[in-house]
Amino acid sequence: MRLLPILLAVAAALTSTWTLAQPAGPATCDAKREAIGRDIEAAKAKGQKQRVRGLEKALGEVRRTCSDAKLAAEHQRRIRSQERKVAERERDLREAQHKGRADKIADREEKLREAQAELQQLKGAQ
């Protein structure tokens, strides 16, 4: 039974690290086109013909429909969504504190920290 808390702590730490390591995404259409272009070159080098076709289709779609204003609006939408998630995690934590369950409090605190870290990452990518 002592192994479970250790496993939970390791899983939480890995999840936090993984979340922070995720790229926020290209900030401009030029950056998005360049990223897809690099992926196409890498897929060609590996002989992944299906992937190349899919990436070329994606590149064509980006060229036709991408605008920096759309990307900025989508980024702001993700920030607002994450802010709502942080607020929800704060409510969950307050509820657990009110009930006084230490195991639930620790769990809710960790989830809140993860949500706050993701929000900071999104805000830093503006």
Side-chain angles (χ1 to χ4, degrees), residues 105-120:
I105 292 171
D107 181 50
R108 300 305 191 273
E109 286 173 340
E110 179 60 30
K111 287 184 179 186
L112 176 58
R113 279 191 297 275
E114 289 173 6
Q116 288 170 333
E118 189 171 333
L119 177 59
Q120 288 306 315

Side-chain angles (χ1 to χ4, degrees), residues 25-32 68 71-72 125-126:
T28 65
C29 293
D30 287 339
K32 200 170 189 174
D68 290 344
L71 287 178
Q126 285 182 323

Side-chain angles (χ1 to χ4, degrees), residues 6-7 11 37-38 42 49 51 60 66-67 85 87 97 110-111:
I6 294 170
L7 289 175
R38 284 190 303 271
K49 293 178 184 177
R51 181 160 169 77
C66 187
S67 77
K85 188 174 183 177
Q97 289 169 334
E110 179 60 30
K111 287 184 179 186

Side-chain angles (χ1 to χ4, degrees), residues 70-122:
K70 282 183 187 178
L71 287 178
E74 175 63 21
H75 186 71
Q76 288 303 314
R77 186 198 62 75
R78 284 194 308 268
I79 287 174
R80 287 190 305 275
S81 174
Q82 191 62 30
E83 287 172 338
R84 286 189 298 273
K85 188 174 183 177
V86 167
E88 179 184 336
R89 298 294 187 210
E90 288 170 341
R91 282 190 302 275
D92 291 346
L93 175 58
R94 283 192 303 274
E95 184 179 312
Q97 289 169 334
H98 179 71
K99 290 181 180 180
R101 297 213 27 218
D103 59 331
K104 294 287 184 183
I105 292 171
D107 181 50
R108 300 305 191 273
E109 286 173 340
E110 179 60 30
K111 287 184 179 186
L112 176 58
R113 279 191 297 275
E114 289 173 6
Q116 288 170 333
E118 189 171 333
L119 177 59
Q120 288 306 315
Q121 181 184 6
L122 285 170

Side-chain angles (χ1 to χ4, degrees), residues 21-79:
Q22 294 303 300
T28 65
C29 293
D30 287 339
K32 200 170 189 174
R33 285 188 290 270
E34 288 174 16
I36 294 172
R38 284 190 303 271
D39 289 346
I40 289 172
E41 292 306 314
K44 283 180 179 178
K46 294 179 182 178
Q48 299 171 329
K49 293 178 184 177
Q50 288 289 102
R51 181 160 169 77
V52 169
R53 279 194 289 272
L55 288 168
E56 287 173 344
K57 183 177 178 182
L59 182 58
E61 188 68 22
V62 167
R63 285 183 177 142
R64 281 190 301 283
T65 64
C66 187
S67 77
D68 290 344
K70 282 183 187 178
L71 287 178
E74 175 63 21
H75 186 71
Q76 288 303 314
R77 186 198 62 75
R78 284 194 308 268
I79 287 174

